[in-house]
Amino acid sequence: KQDKTLWIGGMFPQTGEWAGGEAAFPAALKALDQINQREDILPGYYLNLSAYDTRCSPGLGTTILYELLYNKTFGSVNSSILMLLGPACSPVSTAVGEAAKMWNLIVLSYGSSSPALSNRVRFRTFFRTHPPATLHNPTRIKFFDLFGWKRIAILIQTEEVWQSTAEHLETLARQHNVHIAVRQLFDNDPSHAISNLKKDDIRIIVGLFYEEKARKVFCKAYQQNYYGESYVWWLIGWYADNWFVKVHDVECTAEDMSRAVEGHFTTEIQMLTDATTKTISGLTAQEFITDLNSTLRQLFPTKPIESIGGYVEAPLAYDATWALALALNRSLQRTNLEEWTYGNTYMKEIMMDDMERTDFFGVSGSVKFDKLGNRMSKVVVEQLRNGLYHRLARFDAEKGSIEWLSGEEPDGSRCWNYKYNYSSNN
Ligand SMILES: CC1(C)CO[C@@H](CC(=O)O)CN1
């Protein structure tokens, strides 16, 4: 008996500001193949994906949305897409997510970090397996509490994602009687902001900026002698590992930069679980990555794996595809999805409810959404020592617990404890 087809849309950027679709699309297709082989998921149906390249452009993403909505005929039957997998880039998710709710279309992103997307009024039907950038903040506050760091500054590049993350950090800080003494914004040149931090004798700084600006910040900090053991920098952890010695765009040497950045902490969302247990797909996270690596080597034979767009986020795309299929599988028990049309708010409410029930173990860890449609994940804390990043701890924001990694727990004797047990009462 020929299975009937259910359609979903897909948006995967292959070029642009963030070409996250390069690795995310193959990962999503792997999940789709595995799902369509499972008799217990959407029995009697074949889940088909109509995917497009958004080039990380909001305008193109919007035209693709209309194409998906109004190109009523997929394959041989008239059908509407039940949900949208993607977009990846925040600006595209902002445009598409705001419009999609008007068609009662659920949007499940695997790559958008903008805190603005947590607005449940604007993005009523938006979910994401990629946590918002604000998820770093509870981890930062936890460490400030731990070390009695009471007086903090935030150095912010003027971009929506960083400014809204800073606002969230300030709100959290107030609840934990941590004082955000200074907020310094900069657009392109951080020199003035850094001299202000120095004038205010700030010692603990949270840096919210992209990698290219990070190099500018630390070259200026080096030149103003605003670095060393009396300063504790908290940076974003997903820059390239050697970001500070790629000195092509700053006037400092790799030596200067290495001295300026030595000892800083980073926070990064964990996107591939360390667990060795089988996930919803039957594969362990390692088996998934090994299989993905061999596929990516074939697709991009000349590119080093880590430089393929969305390589780090690929587990989020794989798990998003599973989350989408499992939600539809639940809805199938309650309503006839073949009769779905975009005006059917009754069916939309069922699918929303079933998406909100998402709760399974995937390759990126436990997959669940909070009431704003945000993924909750663990956050890894690292420290740069002698130019190499060391994993210190993993923080579970949901439980508020820190898991110290191999011998890094602060026992008062280790180098990093005396070095950074700095109490900024000044
Ligand atoms: C960790 C990062 C690089 C943050 O930006 C995301 C892309 C975006 O939010 O536009 C992808 N993942």
Side-chain angles (χ1 to χ4, degrees):
K1 160 169 96 41
Q2 175 60 30
D3 278 354
K4 287 173 278 187
T5 299
L6 294 175
W7 283 92
I8 56 173
M11 292 190 181
F12 298 86
Q14 298 301 331
T15 57
E17 184 84 16
W18 184 63
E22 281 188 329
F25 187 40
L29 289 180
K30 284 177 184 295
L32 207 55
D33 284 349
Q34 291 156 6
I35 288 156
N36 279 321
Q37 284 161 35
R38 287 272 290 260
E39 291 301 312
D40 58 326
I41 301 177
L42 298 167
Y45 290 96
Y46 180 81
L47 189 61
N48 211 345
L49 170 66
S50 175
Y52 290 75
D53 170 9
T54 64
R55 293 191 220 134
C56 203
S57 147
L60 184 54
T62 306
T63 52
I64 290 168
L65 175 69
Y66 295 146
E67 173 68 20
L68 284 165
L69 294 171
Y70 292 108
N71 164 15
K72 292 296 286 178
T73 305
F74 291 107
S76 56
V77 292
N78 254 356
S79 70
S80 308
I81 54 167
L82 289 162
M83 289 184 184
L84 179 60
L85 182 59
C89 304
S90 287
V92 188
S93 284
T94 305
V96 167
E98 185 125 41
K101 69 176 182 288
M102 308 310 287
W103 283 268
N104 296 309
L105 186 67
I106 289 176
V107 176
L108 176 51
S109 170
Y110 52 84
S112 293
S113 64
S114 165
L117 289 161
S118 304
N119 178 326
R120 228 28 193 166
V121 175
R122 284 180 68 193
F123 308 103
R124 180 73 197 85
T125 60
F126 182 81
F127 294 82
R128 50 178 156 181
T129 54
H130 187 307
T134 44
L135 190 70
H136 293 241
N137 288 333
T139 306
R140 294 167 176 142
I141 294 288
K142 184 76 179 180
F143 269 72
F144 299 162
D145 280 348
L146 202 69
F147 287 98
W149 293 335
K150 295 266 175 268
R151 188 172 179 266
I152 313 291
I154 316 177
L155 179 57
I156 313 158
Q157 175 188 355
T158 49
E159 285 276 348
E160 179 271 324
V161 60
W162 304 129
Q163 289 170 274
S164 38
T165 299
E167 270 151 43
H168 179 266
L169 179 58
E170 280 208 73
T171 308
L172 270 192
R174 269 195 292 279
Q175 294 160 6
H176 289 77
N177 78 349
V178 168
H179 177 49
I180 305 288
V182 173
R183 278 168 63 118
Q184 281 293 336
L185 282 134
F186 72 97
D187 198 3
N188 198 33
D189 178 0
S191 310
H192 185 63
I194 289 170
S195 60
N196 286 341
L197 294 176
K198 189 170 179 180
K199 225 181 311 177
D200 289 340
D201 191 24
I202 293 289
R203 304 300 185 88
I204 320 276
I205 314 103
V206 174
L208 298 176
F209 32 72
Y210 285 115
E211 175 178 326
E212 176 249 335
K213 294 291 187 282
R215 274 190 289 277
K216 283 194 163 51
V217 164
F218 283 91
C219 184
K220 297 295 181 190
Y222 181 80
Q223 290 166 346
Q224 297 186 34
N225 200 23
Y226 186 70
Y227 70 94
E229 294 200 348
S230 303
Y231 301 95
V232 181
W233 287 86
W234 283 82
L235 305 181
I236 298 290
W238 43 259
Y239 300 158
D241 270 356
N242 61 349
W243 65 272
F244 50 90
V245 288
K246 292 172 16 182
V247 290
H248 58 287
D249 52 7
V250 287
E251 67 260 23
C252 292
T253 66
E255 181 61 31
D256 303 342
M257 294 294 286
S258 299
R259 263 206 286 275
V261 300
E262 177 59 20
H264 73 266
F265 292 94
T266 63
T267 50
E268 182 172 11
I269 287 151
Q270 179 159 8
M271 296 185 179
L272 183 72
T273 182
D274 287 10
T276 54
T277 44
K278 284 190 181 308
T279 65
I280 188 84
S281 66
L283 297 177
T284 64
Q286 272 318 311
E287 287 164 344
F288 161 75
I289 277 293
T290 305
D291 176 48
L292 180 68
N293 287 347
S294 65
T295 300
L296 293 176
R297 270 192 209 97
Q298 288 159 21
L299 290 172
F300 305 93
T302 60
K303 268 192 177 183
I305 279 266
E306 294 71 28
S307 69
I308 296 171
Y311 178 68
V312 171
E313 291 83 359
L316 304 180
Y318 182 81
D319 284 348
T321 310
W322 279 95
L324 192 153
L326 293 168
L328 288 179
N329 192 47
R330 287 190 289 272
S331 300
L332 200 59
Q333 329 289 331
R334 300 165 68 181
T335 183
N336 180 2
L337 294 176
E338 291 177 57
E339 292 165 10
W340 162 250
T341 60
Y342 301 119
N344 191 330
T345 48
Y346 165 74
M347 215 177 267
K348 168 242 184 180
E349 283 310 320
I350 287 178
M351 289 196 276
M352 283 290 292
D353 179 55
D354 285 323
M355 184 59 83
E356 284 156 6
R357 293 165 190 271
T358 297
D359 184 355
F360 64 89
F361 186 69
V363 294
S364 63
S366 157
V367 183
K368 284 190 284 191
F369 304 115
D370 68 15
K371 60 187 185 316
L372 301 178
N374 287 332
R375 165 72 180 278
M376 294 166 283
S377 295
K378 298 194 174 179
V379 175
V380 174
V381 180
E382 296 187 346
Q383 184 183 29
L384 188 82
R385 294 179 193 161
N386 303 321
L388 293 175
Y389 280 107
H390 290 254
R391 287 177 75 154
L392 299 189
R394 197 187 347 257
F395 182 66
D396 182 329
E398 209 182 341
K399 301 195 187 90
S401 58
I402 287 188
E403 177 196 349
W404 294 100
L405 302 175
S406 62
E408 294 293 359
E409 61 287 345
D411 59 6
S413 59
R414 297 186 65 76
C415 65
W416 71 288
N417 201 14
Y418 87 81
K419 200 170 179 181
Y420 292 105
N421 197 358
Y422 173 87
S423 55
S424 63
N425 296 320
N426 60 326

